[in-house]
Amino acid sequence: RAAGAAASPALPAPRPPLAPGGLPLLGHTLASLEEGFGVGINRVCISGAEAVRTARGVGEIGGDEGDAVEVFELSLPLLSTEGVTVVVGGEDVRKLFNREDTAVRSAWPSSLVELLGPEGALLNLSGDEHRRARRAVAGAISSATLEAPDNWLNLQRIVGRNLARWAAGPASSHAPPPTVLIPACRRLAFEVAVSSAVGPNANLSDDQIASMQEGFDAVSKGLFSPKLECTHLPGVDVSWLSSALFPERAAADAGRRVIDDILDAPLRRVLARAEAGESFEGDGMAGRLARAAAAEGVEGVDVAWLKGFITNMLFGGIETTAASLSAILPELYAMPELTAALRADVEAAMPAAAAKAAQEGATIEDVTAEITPDGLAAATLLNATVLETLRFWVVVPFAFREVIVDDLVVGGFHIPKGHTVILFSGSALNEMSRPDGGAWDDADAFDPRRWLPWLESLPASSSVARGSKAFGSNFTPFGCGPRVCPGQVLATNELLILLSAMLLTVDWVVPDGVDGTKPGDSPRAWRDRVFNLRRGGDNGFTIDAKRRRPDNKHGAAPQTPAAEAS
């Protein structure tokens, strides 16, 4: 439809449910397969400008800058029998995020609701219940809480211990095997999330944390896998058939039970201390939340509620943080000049940590213990690099919402009440995220320097991790509106601490055929190349990390094993 046309097109009428009264799951699945392989989406609403920019990714879709373009139309009855609409484009997506509970409400697939809740999960709460819970959670994971001495020490300890696993000590004659980046970053993010959630008082052993992570991995793999239920024949057990048809869901249910069993005793102790009015220090988010919930009027906060809350926090923080962590390192390896400048920036901002790194015999944990919140705030280029990573590598490009008004108009299209709306903001976050409201001219380039003018205008104590609002409403890597990610402070601090510690203590090479010079590659081709390596799972992107020698002052990259052998 050309811009300025009088009529707004309406979406087609939703299809009636298939196989009514039978097993809708099987009928819907077969129908979707017959219609061809695809994500199964009714319609995409996309602005003309976005359509032109994203045509490379979805095929030639036509349209001029001023057009509203309909991209494709399929069906996905498994997600919603009412209809599914995808909205792409920064401004429209941000508007809908901010219209939570007035135009749309959270509506994730039922499998997520069941596996990440059903109680206590912010993902599943709505309306006043959600707002009360968010107020209770706010104090539990704020920057002030995280920077409290015991909590900061805990974060330093976990980051230092994990980084030490990646690199050999200075006196070691046996170099460690290459670190497979995604699993290593997931392990770090998981330890941080669990420890932050239940606190050091939980006294979880390494074996318990490993078992929880195995359970969580199973939950992650089965999040979108359905469960077969026979509602028309009460008492008939079809669990055996459900397990046979959907083994990933059966494994996910078992994984959730593992998590719940390990958390049960620590959370009972947390609630007992909260009811007795005892100190919640050392009880993590769970302790603070148990105390704050009563003050905010959050009802039903018991052991099951806290289990759902923690599992939801794991879901929101593990994959996203690990993806960002694993994105920074190949970028820096490909840009040795930037790496050297970053190292100088960190050394100048945290001289005590730099001095410790220069001491003979100092461990990685010793150096990490000297990294401070104020030091991180003073490292301007470091903060800019984290911002650029969040812009360039969008880790959560979509969200699910349900339309709750009779007539919602987005991008010139009328979306009926009851439709599930999938909000995609990835390309807009890459390109249309300048703090002044404009679009980046060089959005395909990874260049942290773009953020320096805005960072340098902030107060000295401001940092990305402290949730500065200086970037306005255009840059929203953690979402926006009432459901903005509550764990963004924790995630950004993980990125800042790990990157600082690595710059001070290790050098790394990327041996997977990535030579670090980007010869002949456009920035987008480099991004695709790195992404293809990173998504390889246990056989994917690896790094060789080696402990820096105290006399290695200039950030020279270590030689590859082949070069050393020669």
Side-chain angles (χ1 to χ4, degrees), residues 112-187:
L112 271 79
V113 175
E114 294 160 0
L115 286 168
L116 300 179
E119 301 173 86
L122 293 175
L123 192 73
N124 304 331
L125 302 179
S126 60
D128 289 340
E129 187 180 15
H130 174 254
R131 285 187 284 273
R132 288 192 294 267
R134 288 294 295 247
R135 288 195 297 268
V137 169
I141 47 181
S142 66
S143 58
T145 299
L146 187 63
E147 292 177 16
D150 288 347
N151 295 334
W152 191 259
L153 179 63
N154 188 50
L155 187 56
Q156 290 170 317
R157 178 183 59 81
I158 294 173
V159 172
R161 184 175 63 184
N162 276 271
L163 182 53
R165 294 186 184 122
W166 300 4
S172 174
S173 59
H174 301 288
T179 298
V180 185
L181 203 51
I182 288 288
C185 290
R186 291 182 79 254
R187 179 175 180 175

Side-chain angles (χ1 to χ4, degrees), residues 306-331:
L306 288 175
K307 288 176 181 177
F309 167 77
I310 290 174
T311 306
N312 194 165
M313 293 300 294
L314 295 179
F315 165 69
I318 304 304
E319 306 298 342
T320 53
T321 305
S324 295
L325 289 172
S326 64
I328 292 181
L329 302 185
E331 289 295 343

Side-chain angles (χ1 to χ4, degrees), residues 199-255:
N201 286 346
N203 291 319
L204 296 179
S205 67
D206 289 344
D207 287 343
Q208 285 178 308
I209 293 177
S211 295
M212 284 185 68
Q213 185 169 0
E214 288 180 9
F216 178 76
D217 290 344
V219 170
S220 297
K221 292 176 181 177
L223 277 176
F224 292 93
S225 182
K227 178 190 289 186
L228 186 63
E229 296 180 349
C230 188
T231 58
H232 299 289
L233 296 173
V236 176
D237 182 12
V238 293
S239 59
W240 61 272
L241 179 57
S242 183
S243 297
L245 290 173
F246 311 112
E248 286 191 343
R249 176 56 189 268
D253 288 333

